[in-house]
Amino acid sequence: VIAESVRPTVIIGNWKMHKTIAESAAFVTSLAFVVRHSSTQVGLAVPYTMITAAADAARGALIAIGAQNVFDAEEGPYTGEISCRMLKDAGASFVIIGHSERRHLFHEDNAWINRKVKRALNDGLRVVLCIGETLEQHQTGKTHAVLHEQLTECLKDVGERQIESLIIAYEPVWAIGTNQTATPEIAQASHHFIRNEIAKKWGKPASERLIIQYGGSVKPENAAALLNEPDIDGLLVGGASLVLDAFVKIIQCHKIKTQSAT
Ligand code: PGA
């Protein structure tokens, strides 16, 4: 069994629809300087137009640049869509798939998300798959059933080797952009459930290596307590990743986890 502390801490910012090319380059340049000695893995999921500038600014630094969505076809007549090849060509190494805003505002369902996940993994992008229950599902005790269904359907036909390139982000919908962070205990219970589900299907070693991030109103004030939970290996940060100072503070929380784990 691989010890929990063997998993790296992975902190990713999700900028959603914010910033300009110049702002993204300046942010990444400053961030690169701050994280140059950090053992935490850091990523930024930026809008498509900023991928190249952000990736150029991140060159030589340990910051991965990714996208927030992708289409599931290789190429073709899909006006307004973008492919994995285009994302990689622009400088992206990972992509967020299945974010609740995509599910709710753009009607992405588990079957479509599954096609995107398989396409991205086949095409060599690391995938951050977002799952999580709504407030109503949370309040009516359906969290585990929802997570089970999302994992089963979104990861259908994904092979054991491909799981290595997957990160799962547990993002309770009621916690996103609401300042209602899940308590570390609630998040840990879901993360533990998710890891067990992965173990059942892809085996214990794969599940022990899997990075499971928490997302939903992560702030410098609550990041350390979340990261201290044994099955919380990282954070997917929305609003607080737009402000350099706040994002840096969240990245630096990793030190606390390392100390408490040894
Ligand atoms: P938030 O967003 O941190 O602003 O709640 C998280 C997310 O949507 O990934």
Side-chain angles (χ1 to χ4, degrees):
V1 175
I2 294 163
E4 156 251 321
S5 55
V6 167
R7 289 191 294 272
T9 301
V10 184
I11 311 281
I12 295 177
N14 172 14
W15 279 358
K16 307 191 180 181
M17 200 172 75
H18 293 283
K19 296 195 190 289
T20 63
I21 292 172
E23 285 165 359
S24 72
F27 187 103
V28 173
T29 302
S30 304
L31 184 64
F33 185 75
V34 178
V35 302
R36 66 199 187 285
H37 300 307
S38 170
S39 58
T40 301
Q41 293 185 12
V42 178
L44 282 173
V46 303
Y48 300 136
T49 54
M50 294 161 220
I51 291 174
T52 301
D56 283 348
R59 193 155 297 142
L62 295 169
I63 302 172
I65 301 300
Q68 303 165 16
N69 182 31
V70 70
F71 193 60
D72 60 283
E74 212 174 319
E75 63 180 359
Y78 305 105
T79 302
E81 292 299 328
I82 198 152
S83 72
C84 294
R85 186 161 164 246
M86 293 169 187
L87 293 182
K88 289 203 299 185
D89 183 46
S93 61
F94 74 93
V95 59
I96 295 175
I97 296 179
H99 191 279
S100 67
E101 285 151 16
R102 303 274 344 151
R103 290 175 187 263
H104 299 135
L105 298 171
F106 303 99
H107 311 293
E108 292 190 16
D109 60 11
N110 288 337
W112 193 10
I113 291 165
N114 176 241
R115 292 198 297 276
K116 293 184 178 205
V117 167
K118 285 188 291 190
R119 169 69 59 192
L121 291 174
N122 278 333
D123 288 359
L125 283 168
R126 201 165 182 195
V127 168
V128 179
L129 169 66
C130 298
I131 58 172
E133 80 285 1
T134 63
L135 181 62
E136 201 224 320
Q137 290 163 338
H138 176 68
Q139 286 171 339
T140 52
K142 298 202 181 92
T143 299
H144 286 182
V146 170
L147 295 178
H148 172 79
E149 184 175 281
Q150 288 176 332
L151 286 170
T152 306
E153 295 181 5
C154 296
L155 294 178
K156 189 168 171 280
D157 300 326
V158 170
E160 201 181 319
R161 279 225 342 264
Q162 291 180 315
I163 286 288
E164 302 281 327
S165 302
L166 183 80
I167 290 176
I168 292 180
Y170 169 61
E171 297 208 305
V173 179
W174 47 271
I176 296 176
T178 57
N179 277 325
Q180 297 277 304
T181 321
T183 62
E185 295 72 29
I186 290 178
Q188 165 59 25
S190 292
H191 283 229
H192 188 70
F193 177 81
I194 291 166
R195 201 177 301 285
N196 271 338
E197 291 286 298
I198 297 296
K200 275 189 223 159
K201 199 154 162 199
W202 287 276
K204 185 117 175 135
S207 79
E208 291 291 339
R209 280 193 293 271
L210 178 74
I211 302 292
I212 308 177
Q213 295 182 313
Y214 167 82
S217 298
V218 172
K219 304 274 182 281
E221 299 76 40
N222 56 34
L226 288 159
L227 285 175
N228 266 327
E229 295 294 332
D231 287 296
I232 301 184
D233 313 310
L235 302 166
L236 186 54
V237 187
S241 74
L242 295 169
V243 183
L244 183 66
D245 184 51
F247 193 51
V248 166
K249 283 198 178 113
I250 291 169
I251 292 166
Q252 287 170 344
C253 285
H254 170 53
K255 291 196 184 81
I256 296 162
K257 176 164 182 165
T258 311
Q259 277 160 10
S260 64
T262 49

